[in-house]
Amino acid sequence: MLEIRDLSVTLGGRSILDRLSLTVNRGEFVSILGPSGAGKSTLFRVLTGALQATGDIRVDGAPLQGQPFAFMPQRDALMPWRRMIDNVTLGLEVQGIPRAEARARIAPLFAEFGLDGFQRHWPHQLSGGMRQRAALMRTVVQDKRVLLLDEPFGALDALTRAGMQRWLKDRWRAHRWTALLVTHDVREAVTLSDRIYVLSARPARVTHEFAVTGDTHRLETQILETLLEGDA
Amino acid sequence: MRALPVLVAVVLAWECYARLSGIPPQILPAPSRIAVQAWLQREVLWQNTLPTIRATCLGFAFSTALAFLLSVLLDFARPLRRALLPVFVISQTLPLVAIAPLVVLWFGFGLTPKILLVALVTFFPMLLALIEGYDSTEPEIEALLHSMGASRAKVFRLARLPSALPFFFNGLRISITYAVVAAIFAEYAGAVQGLGIFILNAKNNFRPDLVLAAVGISSALTLTLFGLTRAVQRIVMPWGR
């Protein structure tokens, strides 16, 4: 589905990504783990077209063109001046879909995202978890081929975060979205993913790749050890 | 509302002092005398207030429109911003006392010089507020819009403009407190009618009570406009924060 080969980014003379390669298959949930500041978010900036890079990015075997990604930024980036429903339809509005049609299209999803009855609320009236679900809903309704999730639960308290992870896992089982998640939370990566790439410190390369199967606790320990080794 | 008792106390103290000190009312009139004289002269005062309101509102509307158009231009053309902003800063250093008579000299005793002077005084705070407001847009919201394929114009309309609204209203409130004073000063420098010319005449006739009555009206006007901006803000920004 998504193939990234030998992707390199240099910013102001400093190498941020160094021949980074990874693949995401259709319906697969893949996480990228790495130390803070390793350039995880830089990868997403390249994919969303905000940054130039050398290397090869292919979607379904063809070179990258158009915008096959739906991006969910760190924090929720909900617009405080738009009601929840208008935040969720933002991507469709940018695509030029009339408001009534966009609203009709997303209407059945509110219940699933636990947001039914809050359509007319302003973002500041929603709880942290609800805001995050609204941001995720805004991402998936764009109907793109790959979801890019940039530490989506980083700003939440531990309990809300665990709840959101469990909820996302269920949603993902039902929909089989193709997703690439960036995080520095090992447990989150193990809980949600099919596969995990571990990045080195800057300049970032893929150092390890793990398939999530069987004993997740042992895998968690193993990944943590790899990350700590990388620090030494 | 907490300011009300303080205001009442100041007026009362003034009243007592004016009555008990023996200072003649031609020098320091008591508040009660000002109120009575204002009431007796209400028709003349009203006739002179109307042109001031007109000059203030037209000048301010012109200034707001100009500040908005220029802010959009400067947001899209960064090099222009660096070239023009210093010029606008210089426009703020001009002493109104010197400029006002000149503007009257150039544009006559009509409405035009008043509109221009009100605009000169109120334009810059609003322009600056708008520009800073655009730049306050959350980078993550812009990144999100870019990832959705939004054009520069769409990013402006969907993110930068609404982000600037709270800043704009702050600038508007600062500007509006100068607007009435600027209009009165423009009239002072030369006009047929208006609070400025009324004050000038009252001063020349040794009537400090009428001067202060006009000053009171000017304050009331400013406070009303100030309150109006709050009301408008509540309508334009229903999300509150």
Side-chain angles (χ1 to χ4, degrees), chain A:
Chain A
M1 179 96 202
L2 171 65
E3 276 177 276
I4 297 171
R5 208 172 304 145
D6 291 334
L7 198 72
S8 296
V9 175
T10 311
L11 274 181
R14 292 211 301 170
S15 176
I16 311 285
L17 298 182
D18 179 25
R19 284 174 292 126
L20 186 115
S21 299
L22 57 85
T23 56
V24 183
N25 299 313
R26 187 184 304 275
E28 195 180 27
F29 198 118
V30 174
S31 290
I32 300 177
L33 261 173
S36 308
K40 303 187 293 277
S41 299
T42 307
L43 173 64
F44 279 6
R45 288 177 65 200
V46 171
L47 292 177
T48 56
L51 211 58
Q52 289 294 317
T54 60
D56 197 26
I57 303 172
R58 283 173 181 272
V59 177
D60 287 334
L64 183 62
Q65 60 172 200
Q67 185 52 275
F69 307 109
F71 172 56
M72 179 172 174
Q74 279 176 24
R75 291 185 286 160
D76 50 56
L78 293 178
M79 296 176 168
W81 54 86
R82 285 180 159 237
R83 295 179 191 277
M84 192 270 280
I85 186 169
D86 297 324
N87 264 294
V88 174
T89 56
L90 182 69
L92 304 177
E93 195 182 319
V94 170
Q95 286 170 29
I97 294 167
R99 171 180 283 210
E101 195 190 322
R103 286 187 169 190
R105 195 190 289 187
I106 62 160
L109 287 168
F110 283 111
E112 184 180 352
F113 281 77
L115 293 166
D116 204 19
F118 294 92
Q119 285 90 335
R120 303 274 303 155
H121 281 53
W122 301 107
H124 73 84
Q125 296 172 309
L126 304 175
S127 71
M130 290 172 96
R131 292 177 62 115
Q132 226 59 32
R133 288 200 296 273
L136 186 70
M137 188 169 163
R138 178 188 62 198
T139 316
V140 301
V141 298
Q142 293 175 51
D143 220 6
K144 301 287 182 158
R145 280 185 277 184
V146 185
L147 307 182
L148 304 178
L149 313 176
D150 189 356
E151 299 197 22
F153 310 130
L156 299 177
D157 63 87
L159 199 63
T160 314
R161 188 192 306 181
M164 284 293 294
Q165 287 165 353
R166 181 176 297 180
W167 174 83
L168 178 60
K169 183 96 189 162
D170 288 343
R171 299 280 57 72
W172 185 75
R173 280 204 188 106
H175 292 274
R176 285 278 147 186
W177 297 308
T178 307
L180 187 57
L181 170 84
V182 152
T183 181
H184 56 243
D185 181 339
V186 176
R187 177 161 294 170
E188 179 168 289
V190 170
T191 309
L192 293 171
S193 321
D194 298 309
R195 268 185 313 121
I196 298 170
Y197 289 99
V198 177
L199 299 191
S200 65
R202 217 181 254 192
R205 291 173 292 108
V206 172
T207 56
H208 296 81
E209 183 186 339
F210 297 93
V212 182
T213 43
D215 190 346
T216 51
H217 285 289
R218 218 166 108 194
L219 183 63
E220 244 176 69
T221 324
Q222 202 182 340
I223 295 174
L224 264 175
E225 273 166 12
T226 357
L227 278 168
L228 291 171
E229 261 169 47
D231 257 6

Side-chain angles (χ1 to χ4, degrees), chain B residues 15-151:
Chain B
E15 181 80 33
C16 294
Y17 182 73
R19 277 172 191 251
L20 301 174
S21 64
I23 297 175
Q26 289 78 17
I27 308 286
L28 181 70
S32 57
R33 184 186 165 91
I34 295 170
V36 169
Q37 289 304 314
W39 180 249
L40 291 175
Q41 301 269 354
R42 60 187 181 277
E43 250 171 59
V44 184
L45 266 172
W46 179 239
Q47 274 163 18
N48 283 291
T49 305
L50 275 180
T52 307
I53 294 177
R54 197 180 304 133
T56 306
C57 292
L58 286 175
F60 201 65
F62 173 64
S63 166
T64 312
L66 193 68
F68 176 70
L69 289 176
L70 260 169
S71 72
V72 177
L73 183 72
L74 296 190
D75 194 59
F76 279 85
R78 292 306 166 103
L80 209 59
R81 186 199 282 203
R82 280 188 292 279
L84 285 183
L85 266 190
V87 178
F88 295 132
V89 175
I90 290 171
S91 82
Q92 292 303 292
T93 64
L94 307 176
L96 200 58
V97 193
I99 289 299
L102 285 180
V103 176
V104 171
L105 182 70
W106 297 331
F107 295 96
F109 290 92
L111 200 55
T112 316
K114 280 115 202 152
I115 289 175
L116 288 178
L117 283 167
V118 171
L120 177 75
V121 170
T122 58
F123 163 77
F124 188 67
M126 284 194 285
L127 178 73
L128 209 60
L130 280 167
I131 288 177
E132 281 181 8
Y134 298 145
D135 287 345
S136 77
T137 310
E138 246 188 87
E140 299 222 311
I141 288 182
E142 287 199 36
L144 176 73
L145 282 168
H146 282 303
S147 83
M148 291 170 169
S151 62

